[in-house]
Amino acid sequence: MVDHWENSNSTLAEQWASVRGQLRAEVGDAAFNSWLKPLTLGEILGSRLRITVPTRFMRDWIEQNYGDRLTELWQEKNSGVTEVEIIVEPISTLIKTPSLAGRDKDGGNQSLTAIPLSDQGDNNGEGNLEQSDTKNVTDLLDKRFTFKNFIVGRTNELAHAAARRAAESDSVQFNPLFLFGGVGLGKTHLMHAIAWHITSENPGRRVLYMSAEKFMYQFVRALRFRTTMDFKEQFRSVDVLMIDDIQFICGKDSTQEEFFHTFNALVDQNRQIVVSADKSPSDLEGMEERLRSRLGCGLVADIHPTDYELRLGILKDKAERLGAKLPDKVVEFLAHKINSNVRELEGALNRIVAQSTLVGDAVTLEVTQEILRDLLRANDRRITIEEIQKCVAEHFNVRLVDMHSARRARAVARPRQVAMYLSKQLTARSLPEIGRKFGGRDHTTVMHAVKKVEELRTLDSSFHEDVELLRRMLEI
């Protein structure tokens, strides 16, 4: 029987949310997502609070490692709790996408096919799947991460085009599609966009999306509960398998072995595989050579660090969706100064909008600099003109002294113009300062060089790639 104290559902829900938040802060996102996120608030019997988990293995682990802390946190939130009991209550983690499901309990056609990620357990019946406990694949996706909301620029246009082709085509164009790039550049956005598009436009295709960490967790659990045949069937019966952050299985030999066989089985059946990572297949240390080779045999699409134009487009789009009107000077300032990744860029914009809407401050350049002083300090460019000159001279195989000389031969003048252009893009130096670093040239010479390089980048793809390569080398 539930005691009289704190028996309001809203109160208990608030306390549970607070306890979970405290646990996440203490143990970190990785441990929380792996072990504590599946915890579900149960019932109160007298002074004993019940919390449920899906498997006995998880219950034992949590009791051993977090049981005492759970009790302490609950007692802080509710003095009526003297004991926290963790019990096993199997749940299904079915991912549903349209197709094989047949008919529902009422006799109507089900619109979604259940692809179970089994929690099946031992003779105690842990993890037995209940058809009613299902989750749509779209519940795992971020509603913001669609193709419509993805801003395309020179640095991500190939990855975007390849993702759209994989999502829109009924046949497999390239297998796998391998997307890679640094943190916060849009890999996961494109993965979610593919899944959103397929589930909405091609409901006959069965889609399974998860992180590599989750794949490994499911595999280890299948080994423990001797349900590997179910595991294999679940992953090899889909039309589209999407694995995010594949680098997390590097060094995990057994998981790589299983993924290798899953990969081959799906490719043999002409099923689409989409994978993302922070590095190209050839650079994944700890990945078996045969798997590295398989991952690189389809289309490998690199998402480069954002350029100024792309950052500007992202900021304008985000501001519009937030309903915020920002001065052009502020938007341009942010696009110039915050060049690490898109997440930091959007975070900076959110801080400015919050300051304006919650505090009432007018958005000015001065206010922006004050609010973001820590972020701006971290993103402050430290590239020197001397570094740029050296890098460009080595790339084009000219002498460093030619960066300062009066020689006008194209073989020397063009690299010098590229170095001036990059100095303008990657440093905070003024045009006259840049000119002085190039043999005392006038600022109009620098302006001409910048204009010429921008023009050549639009006309000559090879030249454009050279400039992009140099920029990325300097920004590392």
Side-chain angles (χ1 to χ4, degrees), residues 214-449:
K214 184 69 172 178
F215 178 89
M216 180 174 65
Y217 172 65
Q218 293 287 347
F219 176 58
V220 171
R221 188 165 54 188
L223 290 176
R224 178 176 178 81
F225 296 132
R226 299 180 179 86
T227 57
T228 52
M229 293 307 297
D230 292 336
F231 175 88
K232 293 176 187 294
E233 177 61 26
Q234 291 155 13
F235 281 88
R236 299 180 192 186
S237 64
V238 300
D239 295 310
V240 183
L241 176 62
M242 307 181 70
I243 303 293
D244 208 356
D245 290 324
I246 196 69
Q247 70 270 10
F248 285 114
I249 69 170
C250 287
K252 310 295 191 300
D253 294 343
S254 297
T255 304
Q256 288 187 44
E257 175 85 14
E258 180 57 36
F259 182 73
F260 176 79
H261 293 304
T262 298
F263 183 101
N264 286 340
L266 290 174
V267 169
D268 290 344
Q269 298 174 64
N270 202 33
R271 307 290 176 82
Q272 180 69 64
I273 301 172
V274 184
V275 177
S276 79
D278 60 352
K279 298 176 183 176
S280 69
S282 60
D283 293 330
L284 289 173
E285 297 180 5
M287 188 72 74
E288 291 181 6
E289 182 58 37
R290 60 177 182 170
L291 184 52
R292 187 187 293 123
S293 175
R294 293 292 194 281
L295 292 172
C297 70
L299 175 61
V300 178
D302 184 4
I303 304 179
H304 304 306
T306 56
D307 57 16
Y308 169 75
E309 290 78 12
L310 181 57
R311 293 194 294 272
L312 197 62
I314 290 170
L315 283 169
K316 289 181 177 179
D317 178 76
K318 176 74 172 177
E320 184 177 343
R321 283 190 277 124
L322 290 174
K325 294 183 179 180
L326 304 181
D328 289 342
K329 286 185 177 181
V330 171
V331 177
E332 291 168 2
F333 174 78
L334 291 177
H336 270 300
K337 287 292 185 180
I338 302 178
N339 50 37
S340 51
N341 61 63
V342 175
R343 290 176 190 160
E344 282 198 354
L345 194 64
E346 292 187 344
L349 182 62
N350 288 335
R351 285 165 67 174
I352 294 170
V353 172
Q355 184 77 15
S356 174
T357 57
L358 300 179
V359 180
D361 288 346
V363 179
T364 65
L365 197 55
E366 292 73 21
V367 169
T368 298
Q369 290 174 312
E370 176 62 25
I371 296 171
L372 303 178
R373 59 184 181 276
D374 59 323
L375 195 57
L376 294 172
R377 189 163 53 248
N379 281 270
D380 192 24
R381 288 173 174 159
R382 295 180 177 85
I383 302 170
T384 66
I385 294 177
E386 289 77 12
E387 288 178 78
I388 294 171
Q389 291 173 337
K390 182 179 179 181
C391 185
V392 172
E394 289 176 352
H395 180 78
F396 287 103
N397 197 27
V398 298
R399 298 177 305 166
L400 183 58
V401 69
D402 287 329
M403 291 290 159
H404 313 90
S405 72
R407 293 183 59 192
R408 295 187 178 183
R410 176 173 292 186
V412 172
R414 189 70 76 227
R416 190 162 53 224
Q417 289 176 328
V418 170
M420 291 181 183
Y421 170 82
L422 291 171
S423 296
K424 175 66 171 65
Q425 297 295 317
L426 302 179
T427 75
R429 299 291 188 179
S430 66
L431 295 179
E433 287 177 312
I434 294 172
R436 286 194 291 272
K437 293 287 186 178
F438 285 84
R441 285 175 166 80
D442 188 78
H443 74 280
T444 56
T445 303
V446 181
M447 290 175 60
H448 172 74

Side-chain angles (χ1 to χ4, degrees), residues 24-37:
R24 181 189 286 272
E26 290 179 3
V27 306
D29 287 343
F32 180 87
N33 291 333
S34 296
W35 298 106
L36 299 172
K37 191 173 182 180

